[in-house]
Every structure is written in structure tokens, then in C-alpha cells.
């Protein structure tokens, strides 16, 4: 993946980020090309070796078509969560760590629904917030809406609101 300045990508641990700079650094006597990513809403900058982008899991933003599929996934009934708290938390953390949009969204969906039934532990609340923030940030960028609107869209999808009412039933991608 070759990145250009101003392009948005998704870092698996930090979520959406903009390419803000390209640098060359000497590492063990060799020139290594880096891209500097600024994480959306965090003012965090990460320098990533360009040759390692796919290995790290940096990926392009989702397309509109991909978001429609994501909203359908959010509406589905999730897998039964592990009853034992420590195992459940471990499984959810592992899913979140992949950075895969579907996996992160499943964590947000499953914890959202669990929260409707009973209180979440502090660790589960933190995990839920982290997962939801990552999905909301990406949805907001792709749909060009603010975070509040993106969050309403995601919550609506989880609650089973049809794609037509979410405004995601339109034809092909704008891009």
C-alpha cells in the first residue's frame, strides 16, 4: 500500500489516522521510509515503516458498500458471550486487537446489547468504549458526518433499524 499525504487509513490499535508526513530514517545504517500517521481526535502521531504497513495491519478506510454490510452485521444476533468474566474479557480483547472492522464492531455490538441487559464491569465498559470509538470514527469519516451522527447510525443498526432509515441503502460508493 502506497500512501499519499492527506489520505486516511485505519491503524489496528488506534483507529482512523491521516497520513501527515513522510520521513526517511537511518536504521542500522540503512535508509528506511516511514509514514507518519496522526490518529483522528487524539493528536497522537505514529511513525510506521512503509514496508511494514500490511504486516502491522494498517488498512484503507471502509467503502460505503462495506459500511452497508457492516450495518447488516451489527443488526445480527451475536454469538453467546462467555459466562465467565475473565474468559469473556480475554476473548473480546483478542477480537478488538485484530483491528478488523467486523471484529471490532462485533465487540461494540455484543457489549452494547449486554449493557442493555445488565451493568457492565469497568473493564467491559472501557472495552466497549474503545471498540465503539474506533467504529464511530471510521463511520464518521466514510459518511462525512460528525461523531454524534455516526454513533446514532451505529446504535440504530444494532437496534435493528432498517438500512433505508439509516440512509445507507443508496447504490454504489461515492468514491
Amino acid at each position: 500500500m502506497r500512501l499519499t499525504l492527506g489520505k486516511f487509513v485505519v491503524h489496528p490499535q488506534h483507529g482512523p489516522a491521516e497520513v501527515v508526513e513522510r520521513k526517511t530514517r537511518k536504521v542500522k545504517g540503512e535508509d528506511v521510509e516511514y509514514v507518519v500517521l496522526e490518529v483522528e481526535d487524539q493528536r497522537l502521531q505514529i511513525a510506521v515503516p512503509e514496508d511494514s504497513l500490511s504486516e502491522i495491519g494498517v488498512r484503507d478506510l471502509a467503502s460505503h458498500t462495506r459500511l452497508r454490510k457492516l450495518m447488516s452485521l451489527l443488526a445480527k444476533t451475536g454469538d453467546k458471550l462467555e459466562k465467565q468474566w475473565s474468559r469473556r474479557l480475554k476473548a473480546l480483547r483478542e477480537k478488538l486487537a485484530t483491528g478488523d472492522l467486523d471484529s471490532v464492531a462485533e465487540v461494540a455490538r455484543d457489549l452494547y446489547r449486554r449493557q442493555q441487559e445488565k451493568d457492565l464491569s469497568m473493564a467491559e465498559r472501557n472495552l466497549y468504549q474503545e471498540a465503539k470509538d474506533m467504529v464511530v470514527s471510521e463511520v464518521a469519516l466514510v459518511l462525512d458526518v460528525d461523531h454524534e451522527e455516526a454513533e446514532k447510525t451505529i446504535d440504530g443498526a444494532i437496534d435493528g433499524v432498517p438500512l433505508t432509515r439509516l440512509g445507507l441503502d443508496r447504490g454504489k460508493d461515492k468514491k
Side-chain angles (χ1 to χ4, degrees):
M1 166 188 322
R2 184 91 177 143
L3 302 180
T4 57
L5 295 180
K7 180 178 180 175
F8 280 91
V9 294
V10 180
H11 188 281
Q13 282 80 37
H14 301 288
E18 181 180 7
V19 178
V20 294
E21 189 178 353
R22 298 181 90 74
K23 292 183 179 182
T24 302
R25 293 183 180 168
K26 285 260 190 226
V27 178
K28 296 182 182 178
E30 293 185 30
D31 287 341
V32 177
E33 295 293 320
Y34 280 82
V35 291
V36 178
L37 305 176
E38 185 170 300
V39 178
E40 182 78 358
D41 297 330
Q42 293 182 20
R43 297 292 179 230
L44 170 68
Q45 288 192 346
I46 307 163
V48 180
E50 193 159 352
D51 291 342
S52 302
L53 289 170
S54 60
E55 183 181 318
I56 290 169
V58 174
R59 62 175 174 80
D60 288 323
L61 278 176
S63 65
H64 283 262
T65 301
R66 179 76 188 83
L67 281 190
R68 286 191 297 275
K69 290 178 183 174
L70 178 72
M71 295 304 151
S72 295
L73 173 82
L74 290 172
K76 291 181 181 174
T77 304
D79 296 333
K80 288 287 182 198
L81 292 176
E82 178 70 45
K83 291 201 182 292
Q84 186 178 355
W85 177 85
S86 61
R87 288 184 186 165
R88 180 174 62 246
L89 206 59
K90 181 181 180 203
L92 292 171
R93 277 192 181 127
E94 287 172 356
K95 267 185 154 178
L96 186 63
T98 66
D100 174 67
L101 183 57
D102 285 348
S103 297
V104 173
E106 286 173 357
V107 170
R109 174 198 63 201
D110 294 345
L111 288 173
Y112 175 90
R113 289 187 177 147
R114 183 171 174 78
Q115 179 178 269
Q116 303 301 312
E117 298 168 12
K118 58 166 89 177
D119 286 339
L120 299 177
S121 69
M122 180 61 86
E124 287 172 316
R125 281 194 300 262
N126 291 338
L127 203 57
Y128 169 63
Q129 197 59 54
E130 186 178 345
K132 190 164 189 179
D133 287 347
M134 286 179 74
V135 176
V136 165
S137 293
E138 187 163 356
V139 168
L141 279 171
V142 173
L143 296 180
D144 194 24
V145 296
D146 63 23
H147 284 245
E148 187 177 312
E149 186 65 30
E151 188 169 354
K152 286 179 187 174
T153 301
I154 292 164
D155 290 347
I158 294 171
D159 288 334
V161 174
L163 290 178
T164 52
R165 290 201 23 230
L166 293 174
L168 292 168
D169 61 335
R170 300 188 247 353
K172 299 194 184 215
D173 294 345
K174 292 180 182 178
K175 293 181 181 179

